PDB file of all heavy atoms in Angstrom:
ATOM      1  N   LEU A1225       5.554  11.513   7.253  1.00  0.00           N
ATOM      2  CA  LEU A1225       6.362  10.416   6.824  1.00  0.00           C
ATOM      3  C   LEU A1225       6.985   9.694   8.036  1.00  0.00           C
ATOM      4  O   LEU A1225       7.500   8.566   7.949  1.00  0.00           O
ATOM      5  CB  LEU A1225       7.450  10.765   5.890  1.00  0.00           C
ATOM      6  CG  LEU A1225       7.019  11.366   4.500  1.00  0.00           C
ATOM      7  CD1 LEU A1225       8.307  11.737   3.735  1.00  0.00           C
ATOM      8  CD2 LEU A1225       6.170  10.297   3.852  1.00  0.00           C
ATOM      9  N   HIS A1226       6.956  10.366   9.239  1.00  0.00           N
ATOM     10  CA  HIS A1226       7.575   9.736  10.426  1.00  0.00           C
ATOM     11  C   HIS A1226       6.623   8.855  11.185  1.00  0.00           C
ATOM     12  O   HIS A1226       5.352   9.052  11.085  1.00  0.00           O
ATOM     13  CB  HIS A1226       8.080  10.921  11.321  1.00  0.00           C
ATOM     14  CG  HIS A1226       9.090  11.723  10.684  1.00  0.00           C
ATOM     15  ND1 HIS A1226      10.399  11.380  10.566  1.00  0.00           N
ATOM     16  CD2 HIS A1226       9.034  12.956  10.099  1.00  0.00           C
ATOM     17  CE1 HIS A1226      11.091  12.340   9.968  1.00  0.00           C
ATOM     18  NE2 HIS A1226      10.258  13.341   9.711  1.00  0.00           N
ATOM     19  N   LEU A1227       7.193   7.897  11.916  1.00  0.00           N
ATOM     20  CA  LEU A1227       6.366   7.017  12.676  1.00  0.00           C
ATOM     21  C   LEU A1227       5.844   7.711  14.008  1.00  0.00           C
ATOM     22  O   LEU A1227       6.467   8.620  14.446  1.00  0.00           O
ATOM     23  CB  LEU A1227       7.208   5.761  13.102  1.00  0.00           C
ATOM     24  CG  LEU A1227       7.621   4.874  12.016  1.00  0.00           C
ATOM     25  CD1 LEU A1227       8.541   3.803  12.652  1.00  0.00           C
ATOM     26  CD2 LEU A1227       6.429   4.244  11.390  1.00  0.00           C
ATOM     27  N   PRO A1228       4.664   7.318  14.467  1.00  0.00           N
ATOM     28  CA  PRO A1228       4.178   7.777  15.779  1.00  0.00           C
ATOM     29  C   PRO A1228       5.230   7.513  16.808  1.00  0.00           C
ATOM     30  O   PRO A1228       5.857   6.552  16.840  1.00  0.00           O
ATOM     31  CB  PRO A1228       2.972   7.056  15.923  1.00  0.00           C
ATOM     32  CG  PRO A1228       2.517   6.551  14.646  1.00  0.00           C
ATOM     33  CD  PRO A1228       3.694   6.324  13.902  1.00  0.00           C
ATOM     34  N   ALA A1229       5.321   8.405  17.838  1.00  0.00           N
ATOM     35  CA  ALA A1229       6.281   8.225  18.891  1.00  0.00           C
ATOM     36  C   ALA A1229       6.118   6.929  19.698  1.00  0.00           C
ATOM     37  O   ALA A1229       6.970   6.408  20.211  1.00  0.00           O
ATOM     38  CB  ALA A1229       6.380   9.446  19.889  1.00  0.00           C
ATOM     39  N   ALA A1230       4.825   6.555  19.726  1.00  0.00           N
ATOM     40  CA  ALA A1230       4.445   5.335  20.533  1.00  0.00           C
ATOM     41  C   ALA A1230       4.778   4.050  19.764  1.00  0.00           C
ATOM     42  O   ALA A1230       4.561   2.963  20.290  1.00  0.00           O
ATOM     43  CB  ALA A1230       3.018   5.434  20.949  1.00  0.00           C
ATOM     44  N   ALA A1231       5.093   4.022  18.556  1.00  0.00           N
ATOM     45  CA  ALA A1231       5.242   2.860  17.655  1.00  0.00           C
ATOM     46  C   ALA A1231       6.236   1.859  18.302  1.00  0.00           C
ATOM     47  O   ALA A1231       7.328   2.301  18.645  1.00  0.00           O
ATOM     48  CB  ALA A1231       5.697   3.278  16.264  1.00  0.00           C
ATOM     49  N   ARG A1232       5.915   0.729  18.469  1.00  0.00           N
ATOM     50  CA  ARG A1232       6.696  -0.415  19.155  1.00  0.00           C
ATOM     51  C   ARG A1232       6.844  -1.568  18.242  1.00  0.00           C
ATOM     52  O   ARG A1232       7.898  -2.274  18.288  1.00  0.00           O
ATOM     53  CB  ARG A1232       6.062  -0.785  20.414  1.00  0.00           C
ATOM     54  CG  ARG A1232       6.113   0.322  21.564  1.00  0.00           C
ATOM     55  CD  ARG A1232       7.537   0.698  21.978  1.00  0.00           C
ATOM     56  NE  ARG A1232       7.564   1.697  22.911  1.00  0.00           N
ATOM     57  CZ  ARG A1232       7.661   2.997  22.630  1.00  0.00           C
ATOM     58  NH1 ARG A1232       7.728   3.338  21.380  1.00  0.00           N
ATOM     59  NH2 ARG A1232       7.635   3.882  23.624  1.00  0.00           N
ATOM     60  N   GLU A1233       5.760  -1.922  17.413  1.00  0.00           N
ATOM     61  CA  GLU A1233       5.855  -3.141  16.540  1.00  0.00           C
ATOM     62  C   GLU A1233       5.778  -2.747  15.154  1.00  0.00           C
ATOM     63  O   GLU A1233       4.847  -2.049  14.728  1.00  0.00           O
ATOM     64  CB  GLU A1233       4.757  -4.056  16.958  1.00  0.00           C
ATOM     65  CG  GLU A1233       4.811  -4.520  18.462  1.00  0.00           C
ATOM     66  CD  GLU A1233       5.938  -5.513  18.752  1.00  0.00           C
ATOM     67  OE1 GLU A1233       6.521  -6.016  17.820  1.00  0.00           O
ATOM     68  OE2 GLU A1233       6.167  -5.738  19.993  1.00  0.00           O
ATOM     69  N   LEU A1234       6.778  -3.109  14.439  1.00  0.00           N
ATOM     70  CA  LEU A1234       6.805  -2.858  13.025  1.00  0.00           C
ATOM     71  C   LEU A1234       6.502  -4.183  12.180  1.00  0.00           C
ATOM     72  O   LEU A1234       7.385  -5.078  12.368  1.00  0.00           O
ATOM     73  CB  LEU A1234       8.110  -2.169  12.589  1.00  0.00           C
ATOM     74  CG  LEU A1234       8.537  -0.966  13.366  1.00  0.00           C
ATOM     75  CD1 LEU A1234       9.884  -0.365  12.822  1.00  0.00           C
ATOM     76  CD2 LEU A1234       7.502   0.084  13.499  1.00  0.00           C
ATOM     77  N   VAL A1235       5.496  -4.221  11.399  1.00  0.00           N
ATOM     78  CA  VAL A1235       5.079  -5.638  10.917  1.00  0.00           C
ATOM     79  C   VAL A1235       4.955  -5.441   9.381  1.00  0.00           C
ATOM     80  O   VAL A1235       4.260  -4.507   8.927  1.00  0.00           O
ATOM     81  CB  VAL A1235       3.791  -6.058  11.447  1.00  0.00           C
ATOM     82  CG1 VAL A1235       3.405  -7.364  10.855  1.00  0.00           C
ATOM     83  CG2 VAL A1235       3.890  -6.054  12.961  1.00  0.00           C
ATOM     84  N   LYS A1236       5.602  -6.229   8.668  1.00  0.00           N
ATOM     85  CA  LYS A1236       5.489  -6.258   7.213  1.00  0.00           C
ATOM     86  C   LYS A1236       4.404  -7.234   6.831  1.00  0.00           C
ATOM     87  O   LYS A1236       4.334  -8.399   7.201  1.00  0.00           O
ATOM     88  CB  LYS A1236       6.818  -6.720   6.486  1.00  0.00           C
ATOM     89  CG  LYS A1236       6.754  -6.807   5.014  1.00  0.00           C
ATOM     90  CD  LYS A1236       8.028  -7.233   4.417  1.00  0.00           C
ATOM     91  CE  LYS A1236       7.948  -7.209   2.863  1.00  0.00           C
ATOM     92  NZ  LYS A1236       9.265  -7.686   2.240  1.00  0.00           N
ATOM     93  N   ILE A1237       3.435  -6.728   5.948  1.00  0.00           N
ATOM     94  CA  ILE A1237       2.302  -7.554   5.514  1.00  0.00           C
ATOM     95  C   ILE A1237       2.229  -7.459   3.978  1.00  0.00           C
ATOM     96  O   ILE A1237       2.472  -6.317   3.429  1.00  0.00           O
ATOM     97  CB  ILE A1237       0.976  -7.022   6.092  1.00  0.00           C
ATOM     98  CG1 ILE A1237       0.964  -7.051   7.531  1.00  0.00           C
ATOM     99  CG2 ILE A1237      -0.224  -7.695   5.450  1.00  0.00           C
ATOM    100  CD1 ILE A1237       0.955  -8.536   8.124  1.00  0.00           C
ATOM    101  N   VAL A1238       2.004  -8.617   3.313  1.00  0.00           N
ATOM    102  CA  VAL A1238       1.832  -8.532   1.922  1.00  0.00           C
ATOM    103  C   VAL A1238       0.326  -8.586   1.518  1.00  0.00           C
ATOM    104  O   VAL A1238      -0.387  -9.349   2.190  1.00  0.00           O
ATOM    105  CB  VAL A1238       2.696  -9.647   1.150  1.00  0.00           C
ATOM    106  CG1 VAL A1238       4.088  -9.354   1.146  1.00  0.00           C
ATOM    107  CG2 VAL A1238       2.333 -11.002   1.671  1.00  0.00           C
ATOM    108  N   VAL A1239      -0.111  -7.805   0.612  1.00  0.00           N
ATOM    109  CA  VAL A1239      -1.506  -7.839   0.112  1.00  0.00           C
ATOM    110  C   VAL A1239      -1.429  -8.490  -1.253  1.00  0.00           C
ATOM    111  O   VAL A1239      -0.850  -7.875  -2.179  1.00  0.00           O
ATOM    112  CB  VAL A1239      -2.018  -6.390   0.066  1.00  0.00           C
ATOM    113  CG1 VAL A1239      -3.487  -6.502  -0.349  1.00  0.00           C
ATOM    114  CG2 VAL A1239      -2.006  -5.690   1.446  1.00  0.00           C
ATOM    115  N   VAL A1240      -2.116  -9.607  -1.305  1.00  0.00           N
ATOM    116  CA  VAL A1240      -2.039 -10.450  -2.519  1.00  0.00           C
ATOM    117  C   VAL A1240      -3.298 -10.806  -3.091  1.00  0.00           C
ATOM    118  O   VAL A1240      -4.377 -10.583  -2.378  1.00  0.00           O
ATOM    119  CB  VAL A1240      -1.236 -11.737  -2.314  1.00  0.00           C
ATOM    120  CG1 VAL A1240       0.173 -11.408  -1.686  1.00  0.00           C
ATOM    121  CG2 VAL A1240      -1.933 -12.559  -1.284  1.00  0.00           C
ATOM    122  N   GLY A1241      -3.374 -11.238  -4.345  1.00  0.00           N
ATOM    123  CA  GLY A1241      -4.612 -11.574  -4.952  1.00  0.00           C
ATOM    124  C   GLY A1241      -4.411 -11.620  -6.540  1.00  0.00           C
ATOM    125  O   GLY A1241      -3.508 -11.001  -6.929  1.00  0.00           O
ATOM    126  N   PRO A1242      -5.497 -12.168  -7.130  1.00  0.00           N
ATOM    127  CA  PRO A1242      -5.328 -12.059  -8.607  1.00  0.00           C
ATOM    128  C   PRO A1242      -5.512 -10.673  -9.224  1.00  0.00           C
ATOM    129  O   PRO A1242      -5.800  -9.744  -8.575  1.00  0.00           O
ATOM    130  CB  PRO A1242      -6.564 -12.969  -9.078  1.00  0.00           C
ATOM    131  CG  PRO A1242      -7.506 -12.755  -7.940  1.00  0.00           C
ATOM    132  CD  PRO A1242      -6.690 -12.605  -6.626  1.00  0.00           C
ATOM    133  N   PHE A1243      -5.166 -10.586 -10.506  1.00  0.00           N
ATOM    134  CA  PHE A1243      -5.197  -9.361 -11.259  1.00  0.00           C
ATOM    135  C   PHE A1243      -6.600  -8.668 -11.112  1.00  0.00           C
ATOM    136  O   PHE A1243      -7.651  -9.318 -11.362  1.00  0.00           O
ATOM    137  CB  PHE A1243      -4.886  -9.728 -12.699  1.00  0.00           C
ATOM    138  CG  PHE A1243      -4.936  -8.526 -13.708  1.00  0.00           C
ATOM    139  CD1 PHE A1243      -4.238  -7.419 -13.536  1.00  0.00           C
ATOM    140  CD2 PHE A1243      -5.744  -8.718 -14.863  1.00  0.00           C
ATOM    141  CE1 PHE A1243      -4.235  -6.432 -14.338  1.00  0.00           C
ATOM    142  CE2 PHE A1243      -5.783  -7.672 -15.715  1.00  0.00           C
ATOM    143  CZ  PHE A1243      -4.999  -6.486 -15.579  1.00  0.00           C
ATOM    144  N   GLY A1244      -6.555  -7.355 -10.797  1.00  0.00           N
ATOM    145  CA  GLY A1244      -7.847  -6.551 -10.754  1.00  0.00           C
ATOM    146  C   GLY A1244      -8.785  -6.911  -9.617  1.00  0.00           C
ATOM    147  O   GLY A1244      -9.970  -6.444  -9.675  1.00  0.00           O
ATOM    148  N   VAL A1245      -8.176  -7.385  -8.453  1.00  0.00           N
ATOM    149  CA  VAL A1245      -9.024  -7.799  -7.340  1.00  0.00           C
ATOM    150  C   VAL A1245      -9.180  -6.595  -6.402  1.00  0.00           C
ATOM    151  O   VAL A1245     -10.080  -6.655  -5.533  1.00  0.00           O
ATOM    152  CB  VAL A1245      -8.561  -9.008  -6.587  1.00  0.00           C
ATOM    153  CG1 VAL A1245      -7.345  -8.670  -5.732  1.00  0.00           C
ATOM    154  CG2 VAL A1245      -9.673  -9.711  -5.781  1.00  0.00           C
ATOM    155  N   GLY A1246      -8.358  -5.631  -6.430  1.00  0.00           N
ATOM    156  CA  GLY A1246      -8.512  -4.420  -5.570  1.00  0.00           C
ATOM    157  C   GLY A1246      -7.443  -4.189  -4.632  1.00  0.00           C
ATOM    158  O   GLY A1246      -7.535  -3.536  -3.621  1.00  0.00           O
ATOM    159  N   LYS A1247      -6.207  -4.782  -4.812  1.00  0.00           N
ATOM    160  CA  LYS A1247      -5.048  -4.659  -3.976  1.00  0.00           C
ATOM    161  C   LYS A1247      -4.637  -3.172  -3.823  1.00  0.00           C
ATOM    162  O   LYS A1247      -4.428  -2.612  -2.723  1.00  0.00           O
ATOM    163  CB  LYS A1247      -3.875  -5.488  -4.353  1.00  0.00           C
ATOM    164  CG  LYS A1247      -4.297  -6.957  -4.436  1.00  0.00           C
ATOM    165  CD  LYS A1247      -3.113  -7.789  -4.896  1.00  0.00           C
ATOM    166  CE  LYS A1247      -2.727  -7.616  -6.272  1.00  0.00           C
ATOM    167  NZ  LYS A1247      -3.747  -7.951  -7.350  1.00  0.00           N
TER     168      LYS A1247
END
Side-chain angles (χ1 to χ4, degrees):
L1225 296 179
H1226 299 283
L1227 292 175
R1232 293 293 180 268
E1233 301 289 347
L1234 310 182
V1235 182
K1236 180 179 180 180
I1237 298 295
V1238 289
V1239 180
V1240 303
F1243 178 54
V1245 77
K1247 302 180 293 293

